[in-house]
Amino acid sequence: MTTELDRDDFGRITHDPSARRLELEWFESTERMADQDFRRSLERLAELSEEHRPRHVMIDVTRFAFSPNPDTAQWRQDEIIPRYNAAGIEKFAFLLPPSAPSPGEPAPEPTADFPTGWFLARAALEEWLQQP
């Protein structure tokens, strides 16, 4: 059974203990988001990852409308990815809008101990997460 662990104006984080998965679902309201809101959400996801130690983390960006500052990617690599590594995450996935360009094959991000996949359909994402 999936449980909502956190919610704010911009998204919600749910936990599925049977699948050992955390999911961050962004809302359309992210168009009003500031960089500090974005970072706070990623810090919360990292905190919950450390607490629940999921095998998989997924972020639904199908309705995401915020453009992070250019330095945010480096901040995520330096501050957030190591926390995901410490939590023992095995796979990280993004669900993209169907209009997004073809995402390519899953691969580790810089500083990550796990592969990250980008998917245009939930079914493909779920299939990848189920693979060993």
Side-chain angles (χ1 to χ4, degrees):
M1 177 170 196
T2 301
T3 304
E4 185 172 285
L5 299 178
D6 194 75
R7 175 185 285 263
D8 63 19
D9 292 341
F10 307 111
R12 70 182 185 136
I13 300 172
T14 56
H15 179 230
D16 180 344
S18 63
R20 294 187 54 209
R21 178 186 311 168
L22 287 179
E23 179 174 342
L24 169 57
E25 175 189 8
W26 291 114
F27 303 148
E28 291 93 355
S29 56
T30 54
E31 68 186 0
R32 299 186 316 271
M33 179 178 252
D35 205 60
Q36 69 186 36
D37 300 317
F38 179 71
R39 288 182 181 210
R40 186 173 41 250
S41 293
L42 293 189
E43 287 171 340
R44 184 65 176 137
L45 183 60
E47 178 182 312
L48 290 169
S49 295
E50 292 165 334
E51 181 180 334
H52 293 278
R53 302 192 60 78
R55 289 180 58 220
H56 305 138
V57 173
M58 176 206 159
I59 300 180
D60 181 339
V61 296
T62 56
R63 298 179 290 167
F64 187 70
F66 175 67
S67 294
N69 290 332
D71 65 336
T72 299
Q74 187 64 50
W75 169 84
R76 183 175 173 269
Q77 282 182 9
D78 295 342
E79 302 295 329
I80 301 299
I81 298 291
R83 295 177 72 182
Y84 293 154
N85 288 338
I89 292 170
E90 296 173 15
K91 291 183 179 180
F92 201 101
F94 288 93
L95 181 60
L96 304 172
S99 60
S102 181
E105 293 298 312
E109 297 179 70
T111 71
D113 295 340
F114 49 84
T116 297
W118 299 266
F119 299 90
L120 298 173
R122 189 174 282 269
L125 181 150
E126 296 289 346
E127 181 180 329
W128 180 66
L129 290 179
Q130 297 310 312
Q131 295 171 358

